[in-house]
Amino acid sequence: MDVQRFKEVIKKRNETHNEYDYGLEMCWKEEVEILAEDIPSTIEYLKNECTADEFSWISEIIEDLAEKTRSRELVECYKSLMAKFPEESKRYHVDFCIECAEDFLEDTDA
């Protein structure tokens, strides 16, 4: 996982106005690409380096990431961060985001 590139995209996403749909979608697409390119290193990053702010931004794309990767381990790792970042989890309804992501995983299990 290219951590520096990920941080740059998060910065760009933070600076993108929430009404600018095209800009948001481009940021989200790039985030998903970065996080999906090497799942083991992404999981390692989430476990050891992910900040509360990054955790919050990932909640926007966790569903798309699950759809692209079909990685239960990745979604479970992200889910485990809810205990580490309870305020952000509550504020950004991360439990609902994870529920949606898990729906993609169940589709592949069936």
Side-chain angles (χ1 to χ4, degrees):
M1 179 187 150
D2 187 338
V3 175
Q4 190 55 44
R5 194 168 135 231
F6 177 67
K7 290 181 181 293
E8 289 166 11
V9 174
I10 293 293
K11 184 178 186 298
K12 184 168 44 171
R13 166 58 189 101
N14 191 30
E15 295 168 353
T16 301
H17 194 280
N18 287 336
E19 305 282 316
Y20 180 41
D21 292 339
Y22 179 76
L24 293 177
E25 287 190 26
M26 291 298 97
C27 289
W28 293 336
K29 186 177 178 183
E30 198 170 349
E31 279 179 68
V32 169
E33 289 300 317
I34 294 166
L35 295 172
E37 66 191 7
D38 181 5
I39 294 169
S41 72
T42 297
I43 289 170
E44 198 62 31
Y45 176 80
L46 291 174
K47 286 180 179 177
N48 300 309
E49 296 177 50
C50 185
T51 66
D53 190 49
E54 291 163 349
F55 170 76
S56 301
W57 290 117
I58 293 171
S59 71
E60 292 184 329
I61 55 108
I62 191 65
E63 188 176 340
D64 294 336
L65 187 60
E67 182 180 19
K68 181 173 178 70
T69 66
R70 306 291 181 173
S71 171
R72 182 169 302 283
E73 189 180 5
L74 181 60
V75 173
E76 289 299 321
C77 178
Y78 182 76
K79 185 178 185 177
S80 72
L81 292 177
M82 289 178 65
K84 186 175 180 180
F85 304 117
E87 288 296 313
E88 292 77 7
S89 296
K90 190 174 179 180
R91 184 178 317 129
Y92 298 106
H93 307 284
V94 172
D95 55 343
F96 179 73
C97 300
I98 290 171
E99 223 173 89
C100 294
E102 288 175 331
D103 286 344
F104 281 106
L105 299 177
E106 287 169 16
D107 288 347
T108 59
D109 291 345

